[in-house]
Amino acid sequence: MLPHVVITVTETGALEVTVDGAAFPPPAEGQGWTRGTFGELMDAVTADRTVAVRIEVRESDGSVFTDLIHARKPTPPQPAETEPRQPRSKHTKAKQAPELVEVTGEGFVPGEDIAVALIVAHTDATGTGHARARLDVSRLAGLLDDGVGEVVLLGRVSGTVQVRRLP
């Protein structure tokens, strides 16, 4: 279940924030959340975008806006300059180029997000409502060995479902 963040904008423009019903105070005493600190607030609530949350903003005029802030994949740390690089030996295999399989479908809403299941990737529909996904066969090798041989294209807006057998 996603954490539910409610942000209420007061008449003065200050933001009152709760997360799952509990008050979420600003980091510094005496300072409050404001529209100007909204980015910092989102970073604090989502732990620098590592946690997905549902946001509800209640404006002082009575209007309400909702959104989902998706977590992003953490960026792996770069090796420190002091770490020696491992020399390549003649026994080290070069990384092979991926072997790709193309899966297509139609009937999607132009520009909609398409889920590609065994959920290994997502793609977008073209301006004509067609979708195309290119899959790295090496990522699917273990699954294919287990007898899985189909891919599902699911239109997130249209609900269009296309099931395709892998070659």
Side-chain angles (χ1 to χ4, degrees):
M1 186 146 182
L2 293 177
H4 184 208
V5 178
V6 177
I7 302 169
T8 305
V9 182
T10 66
E11 291 289 332
T12 63
L15 306 178
E16 295 174 357
V17 183
T18 62
V19 177
D20 292 332
F24 191 81
E29 279 289 321
Q31 300 217 348
W33 296 115
T34 64
R35 290 182 190 272
T37 61
F38 189 79
E40 294 171 40
L41 170 60
M42 290 298 97
D43 287 342
V45 168
T46 62
D48 289 324
R49 307 289 199 270
T50 59
V51 176
V53 296
R54 188 176 90 186
I55 303 288
E56 181 177 319
V57 179
R58 298 177 182 169
E59 293 285 349
S60 58
D61 67 0
S63 57
V64 177
F65 303 93
T66 59
D67 201 357
L68 293 176
I69 305 293
H70 296 281
R72 62 179 174 220
K73 292 180 182 175
T75 305
Q78 296 295 324
E81 292 293 326
T82 58
E83 293 179 19
R85 293 188 180 194
Q86 298 295 327
R88 273 184 80 135
S89 71
K90 62 181 179 181
H91 300 291
T92 305
K93 290 186 178 179
K95 200 172 200 179
Q96 293 180 341
E99 179 185 344
L100 301 176
V101 173
E102 187 173 290
V103 180
T104 62
E106 55 187 52
F108 300 98
V109 173
E112 80 175 295
D113 185 42
I114 309 296
V116 179
L118 325 161
I119 311 269
V120 295
H122 281 83
T123 189
D124 294 321
T126 65
T128 61
H130 287 78
R132 178 179 80 158
R134 298 186 77 188
L135 305 173
D136 181 350
V137 173
S138 67
R139 290 184 65 193
L140 302 175
L143 296 170
L144 295 174
D145 293 341
D146 293 337
V148 176
E150 293 182 319
V151 172
V152 177
L153 300 176
L154 170 64
R156 299 283 188 161
V157 174
S158 65
T160 300
V161 176
Q162 297 285 328
V163 179
R164 298 290 184 252
R165 188 155 235 2
L166 290 174

PDB file of all heavy atoms in Angstrom, residues 33-54:
ATOM      1  N   TRP A  33       6.513  24.387   5.815  1.00  0.00           N
ATOM      2  CA  TRP A  33       6.493  24.036   4.401  1.00  0.00           C
ATOM      3  C   TRP A  33       5.739  25.128   3.660  1.00  0.00           C
ATOM      4  O   TRP A  33       4.706  25.612   4.119  1.00  0.00           O
ATOM      5  CB  TRP A  33       5.801  22.695   4.183  1.00  0.00           C
ATOM      6  CG  TRP A  33       6.489  21.514   4.799  1.00  0.00           C
ATOM      7  CD1 TRP A  33       6.009  20.725   5.806  1.00  0.00           C
ATOM      8  CD2 TRP A  33       7.755  20.960   4.441  1.00  0.00           C
ATOM      9  NE1 TRP A  33       6.908  19.731   6.095  1.00  0.00           N
ATOM     10  CE2 TRP A  33       7.989  19.850   5.262  1.00  0.00           C
ATOM     11  CE3 TRP A  33       8.723  21.309   3.506  1.00  0.00           C
ATOM     12  CZ2 TRP A  33       9.144  19.081   5.189  1.00  0.00           C
ATOM     13  CZ3 TRP A  33       9.864  20.539   3.422  1.00  0.00           C
ATOM     14  CH2 TRP A  33      10.071  19.434   4.250  1.00  0.00           C
ATOM     15  N   THR A  34       6.238  25.520   2.490  1.00  0.00           N
ATOM     16  CA  THR A  34       5.597  26.518   1.644  1.00  0.00           C
ATOM     17  C   THR A  34       5.618  26.014   0.209  1.00  0.00           C
ATOM     18  O   THR A  34       6.261  25.003  -0.090  1.00  0.00           O
ATOM     19  CB  THR A  34       6.333  27.880   1.695  1.00  0.00           C
ATOM     20  OG1 THR A  34       7.645  27.700   1.153  1.00  0.00           O
ATOM     21  CG2 THR A  34       6.423  28.411   3.120  1.00  0.00           C
ATOM     22  N   ARG A  35       4.960  26.745  -0.685  1.00  0.00           N
ATOM     23  CA  ARG A  35       5.013  26.370  -2.098  1.00  0.00           C
ATOM     24  C   ARG A  35       6.456  26.382  -2.590  1.00  0.00           C
ATOM     25  O   ARG A  35       6.846  25.575  -3.421  1.00  0.00           O
ATOM     26  CB  ARG A  35       4.166  27.314  -2.932  1.00  0.00           C
ATOM     27  CG  ARG A  35       2.677  27.137  -2.701  1.00  0.00           C
ATOM     28  CD  ARG A  35       1.898  28.086  -3.618  1.00  0.00           C
ATOM     29  NE  ARG A  35       0.489  28.123  -3.282  1.00  0.00           N
ATOM     30  CZ  ARG A  35      -0.427  27.295  -3.766  1.00  0.00           C
ATOM     31  NH1 ARG A  35      -0.057  26.359  -4.616  1.00  0.00           N
ATOM     32  NH2 ARG A  35      -1.686  27.399  -3.423  1.00  0.00           N
ATOM     33  N   GLY A  36       7.263  27.290  -2.064  1.00  0.00           N
ATOM     34  CA  GLY A  36       8.665  27.388  -2.457  1.00  0.00           C
ATOM     35  C   GLY A  36       9.511  26.209  -2.007  1.00  0.00           C
ATOM     36  O   GLY A  36      10.577  25.952  -2.555  1.00  0.00           O
ATOM     37  N   THR A  37       9.060  25.491  -0.983  1.00  0.00           N
ATOM     38  CA  THR A  37       9.808  24.326  -0.499  1.00  0.00           C
ATOM     39  C   THR A  37       9.140  23.015  -0.909  1.00  0.00           C
ATOM     40  O   THR A  37       9.429  21.960  -0.346  1.00  0.00           O
ATOM     41  CB  THR A  37       9.962  24.362   1.041  1.00  0.00           C
ATOM     42  OG1 THR A  37       8.656  24.343   1.639  1.00  0.00           O
ATOM     43  CG2 THR A  37      10.742  25.585   1.486  1.00  0.00           C
ATOM     44  N   PHE A  38       8.247  23.095  -1.918  1.00  0.00           N
ATOM     45  CA  PHE A  38       7.504  21.903  -2.333  1.00  0.00           C
ATOM     46  C   PHE A  38       8.441  20.789  -2.813  1.00  0.00           C
ATOM     47  O   PHE A  38       8.249  19.621  -2.475  1.00  0.00           O
ATOM     48  CB  PHE A  38       6.486  22.254  -3.429  1.00  0.00           C
ATOM     49  CG  PHE A  38       5.545  21.132  -3.743  1.00  0.00           C
ATOM     50  CD1 PHE A  38       4.463  20.871  -2.919  1.00  0.00           C
ATOM     51  CD2 PHE A  38       5.740  20.326  -4.853  1.00  0.00           C
ATOM     52  CE1 PHE A  38       3.585  19.837  -3.199  1.00  0.00           C
ATOM     53  CE2 PHE A  38       4.874  19.286  -5.142  1.00  0.00           C
ATOM     54  CZ  PHE A  38       3.793  19.045  -4.310  1.00  0.00           C
ATOM     55  N   GLY A  39       9.472  21.144  -3.585  1.00  0.00           N
ATOM     56  CA  GLY A  39      10.431  20.136  -4.060  1.00  0.00           C
ATOM     57  C   GLY A  39      11.138  19.453  -2.908  1.00  0.00           C
ATOM     58  O   GLY A  39      11.294  18.230  -2.888  1.00  0.00           O
ATOM     59  N   GLU A  40      11.582  20.255  -1.924  1.00  0.00           N
ATOM     60  CA  GLU A  40      12.233  19.682  -0.737  1.00  0.00           C
ATOM     61  C   GLU A  40      11.267  18.782   0.025  1.00  0.00           C
ATOM     62  O   GLU A  40      11.656  17.732   0.543  1.00  0.00           O
ATOM     63  CB  GLU A  40      12.722  20.798   0.174  1.00  0.00           C
ATOM     64  CG  GLU A  40      13.827  21.641  -0.422  1.00  0.00           C
ATOM     65  CD  GLU A  40      14.120  22.872   0.428  1.00  0.00           C
ATOM     66  OE1 GLU A  40      14.121  22.749   1.663  1.00  0.00           O
ATOM     67  OE2 GLU A  40      14.308  23.941  -0.165  1.00  0.00           O
ATOM     68  N   LEU A  41      10.001  19.208   0.097  1.00  0.00           N
ATOM     69  CA  LEU A  41       8.980  18.407   0.766  1.00  0.00           C
ATOM     70  C   LEU A  41       8.830  17.058   0.061  1.00  0.00           C
ATOM     71  O   LEU A  41       8.812  16.009   0.706  1.00  0.00           O
ATOM     72  CB  LEU A  41       7.643  19.153   0.781  1.00  0.00           C
ATOM     73  CG  LEU A  41       6.413  18.361   1.228  1.00  0.00           C
ATOM     74  CD1 LEU A  41       6.571  17.853   2.651  1.00  0.00           C
ATOM     75  CD2 LEU A  41       5.157  19.212   1.080  1.00  0.00           C
ATOM     76  N   MET A  42       8.750  17.063  -1.292  1.00  0.00           N
ATOM     77  CA  MET A  42       8.602  15.809  -2.030  1.00  0.00           C
ATOM     78  C   MET A  42       9.822  14.910  -1.816  1.00  0.00           C
ATOM     79  O   MET A  42       9.690  13.708  -1.645  1.00  0.00           O
ATOM     80  CB  MET A  42       8.411  16.072  -3.529  1.00  0.00           C
ATOM     81  CG  MET A  42       7.072  16.690  -3.876  1.00  0.00           C
ATOM     82  SD  MET A  42       5.670  15.644  -3.451  1.00  0.00           S
ATOM     83  CE  MET A  42       5.180  16.320  -1.880  1.00  0.00           C
ATOM     84  N   ASP A  43      11.023  15.502  -1.806  1.00  0.00           N
ATOM     85  CA  ASP A  43      12.229  14.710  -1.544  1.00  0.00           C
ATOM     86  C   ASP A  43      12.183  14.095  -0.154  1.00  0.00           C
ATOM     87  O   ASP A  43      12.544  12.929   0.041  1.00  0.00           O
ATOM     88  CB  ASP A  43      13.486  15.563  -1.699  1.00  0.00           C
ATOM     89  CG  ASP A  43      13.805  15.887  -3.148  1.00  0.00           C
ATOM     90  OD1 ASP A  43      13.282  15.195  -4.043  1.00  0.00           O
ATOM     91  OD2 ASP A  43      14.584  16.836  -3.383  1.00  0.00           O
ATOM     92  N   ALA A  44      11.719  14.867   0.837  1.00  0.00           N
ATOM     93  CA  ALA A  44      11.659  14.363   2.211  1.00  0.00           C
ATOM     94  C   ALA A  44      10.617  13.249   2.340  1.00  0.00           C
ATOM     95  O   ALA A  44      10.865  12.214   2.961  1.00  0.00           O
ATOM     96  CB  ALA A  44      11.351  15.502   3.176  1.00  0.00           C
ATOM     97  N   VAL A  45       9.448  13.439   1.754  1.00  0.00           N
ATOM     98  CA  VAL A  45       8.361  12.462   1.868  1.00  0.00           C
ATOM     99  C   VAL A  45       8.696  11.171   1.130  1.00  0.00           C
ATOM    100  O   VAL A  45       8.375  10.079   1.585  1.00  0.00           O
ATOM    101  CB  VAL A  45       7.043  13.072   1.330  1.00  0.00           C
ATOM    102  CG1 VAL A  45       5.984  12.018   1.149  1.00  0.00           C
ATOM    103  CG2 VAL A  45       6.540  14.164   2.263  1.00  0.00           C
ATOM    104  N   THR A  46       9.371  11.287  -0.011  1.00  0.00           N
ATOM    105  CA  THR A  46       9.665  10.107  -0.831  1.00  0.00           C
ATOM    106  C   THR A  46      11.057   9.549  -0.591  1.00  0.00           C
ATOM    107  O   THR A  46      11.486   8.651  -1.309  1.00  0.00           O
ATOM    108  CB  THR A  46       9.529  10.435  -2.334  1.00  0.00           C
ATOM    109  OG1 THR A  46      10.485  11.442  -2.671  1.00  0.00           O
ATOM    110  CG2 THR A  46       8.128  10.897  -2.690  1.00  0.00           C
ATOM    111  N   ALA A  47      11.759  10.082   0.423  1.00  0.00           N
ATOM    112  CA  ALA A  47      13.143   9.653   0.712  1.00  0.00           C
ATOM    113  C   ALA A  47      13.986   9.751  -0.558  1.00  0.00           C
ATOM    114  O   ALA A  47      14.551   8.777  -1.034  1.00  0.00           O
ATOM    115  CB  ALA A  47      13.182   8.260   1.320  1.00  0.00           C
ATOM    116  N   ASP A  48      14.027  10.963  -1.117  1.00  0.00           N
ATOM    117  CA  ASP A  48      14.754  11.246  -2.366  1.00  0.00           C
ATOM    118  C   ASP A  48      14.282  10.372  -3.515  1.00  0.00           C
ATOM    119  O   ASP A  48      15.071   9.836  -4.278  1.00  0.00           O
ATOM    120  CB  ASP A  48      16.262  11.127  -2.171  1.00  0.00           C
ATOM    121  CG  ASP A  48      16.810  12.267  -1.322  1.00  0.00           C
ATOM    122  OD1 ASP A  48      16.291  13.395  -1.465  1.00  0.00           O
ATOM    123  OD2 ASP A  48      17.721  12.026  -0.530  1.00  0.00           O
ATOM    124  N   ARG A  49      12.975  10.221  -3.622  1.00  0.00           N
ATOM    125  CA  ARG A  49      12.304   9.498  -4.716  1.00  0.00           C
ATOM    126  C   ARG A  49      12.575   7.990  -4.708  1.00  0.00           C
ATOM    127  O   ARG A  49      12.473   7.337  -5.733  1.00  0.00           O
ATOM    128  CB  ARG A  49      12.670  10.078  -6.079  1.00  0.00           C
ATOM    129  CG  ARG A  49      12.474  11.576  -6.241  1.00  0.00           C
ATOM    130  CD  ARG A  49      11.007  11.953  -6.301  1.00  0.00           C
ATOM    131  NE  ARG A  49      10.784  13.257  -6.888  1.00  0.00           N
ATOM    132  CZ  ARG A  49      10.738  14.398  -6.216  1.00  0.00           C
ATOM    133  NH1 ARG A  49      10.927  14.401  -4.924  1.00  0.00           N
ATOM    134  NH2 ARG A  49      10.489  15.533  -6.831  1.00  0.00           N
ATOM    135  N   THR A  50      12.902   7.441  -3.541  1.00  0.00           N
ATOM    136  CA  THR A  50      13.113   5.993  -3.463  1.00  0.00           C
ATOM    137  C   THR A  50      11.852   5.267  -3.002  1.00  0.00           C
ATOM    138  O   THR A  50      11.814   4.044  -3.026  1.00  0.00           O
ATOM    139  CB  THR A  50      14.271   5.645  -2.503  1.00  0.00           C
ATOM    140  OG1 THR A  50      13.968   6.162  -1.203  1.00  0.00           O
ATOM    141  CG2 THR A  50      15.580   6.225  -3.012  1.00  0.00           C
ATOM    142  N   VAL A  51      10.820   6.029  -2.589  1.00  0.00           N
ATOM    143  CA  VAL A  51       9.560   5.450  -2.137  1.00  0.00           C
ATOM    144  C   VAL A  51       8.431   6.074  -2.943  1.00  0.00           C
ATOM    145  O   VAL A  51       8.352   7.293  -3.062  1.00  0.00           O
ATOM    146  CB  VAL A  51       9.335   5.739  -0.630  1.00  0.00           C
ATOM    147  CG1 VAL A  51       7.991   5.216  -0.172  1.00  0.00           C
ATOM    148  CG2 VAL A  51      10.454   5.164   0.208  1.00  0.00           C
ATOM    149  N   ALA A  52       7.569   5.261  -3.526  1.00  0.00           N
ATOM    150  CA  ALA A  52       6.408   5.774  -4.251  1.00  0.00           C
ATOM    151  C   ALA A  52       5.353   6.222  -3.237  1.00  0.00           C
ATOM    152  O   ALA A  52       5.175   5.590  -2.199  1.00  0.00           O
ATOM    153  CB  ALA A  52       5.833   4.698  -5.159  1.00  0.00           C
ATOM    154  N   VAL A  53       4.668   7.334  -3.522  1.00  0.00           N
ATOM    155  CA  VAL A  53       3.630   7.847  -2.631  1.00  0.00           C
ATOM    156  C   VAL A  53       2.452   8.361  -3.440  1.00  0.00           C
ATOM    157  O   VAL A  53       2.587   8.728  -4.604  1.00  0.00           O
ATOM    158  CB  VAL A  53       4.147   8.982  -1.711  1.00  0.00           C
ATOM    159  CG1 VAL A  53       5.220   8.491  -0.770  1.00  0.00           C
ATOM    160  CG2 VAL A  53       4.624  10.163  -2.502  1.00  0.00           C
ATOM    161  N   ARG A  54       1.292   8.383  -2.796  1.00  0.00           N
ATOM    162  CA  ARG A  54       0.101   9.005  -3.375  1.00  0.00           C
ATOM    163  C   ARG A  54      -0.025  10.382  -2.752  1.00  0.00           C
ATOM    164  O   ARG A  54      -0.059  10.518  -1.526  1.00  0.00           O
ATOM    165  CB  ARG A  54      -1.136   8.166  -3.076  1.00  0.00           C
ATOM    166  CG  ARG A  54      -2.366   8.663  -3.814  1.00  0.00           C
ATOM    167  CD  ARG A  54      -3.531   7.772  -3.565  1.00  0.00           C
ATOM    168  NE  ARG A  54      -4.214   8.300  -2.396  1.00  0.00           N
ATOM    169  CZ  ARG A  54      -5.222   7.722  -1.791  1.00  0.00           C
ATOM    170  NH1 ARG A  54      -5.640   6.555  -2.195  1.00  0.00           N
ATOM    171  NH2 ARG A  54      -5.800   8.274  -0.764  1.00  0.00           N
TER     172      ARG A  54
END
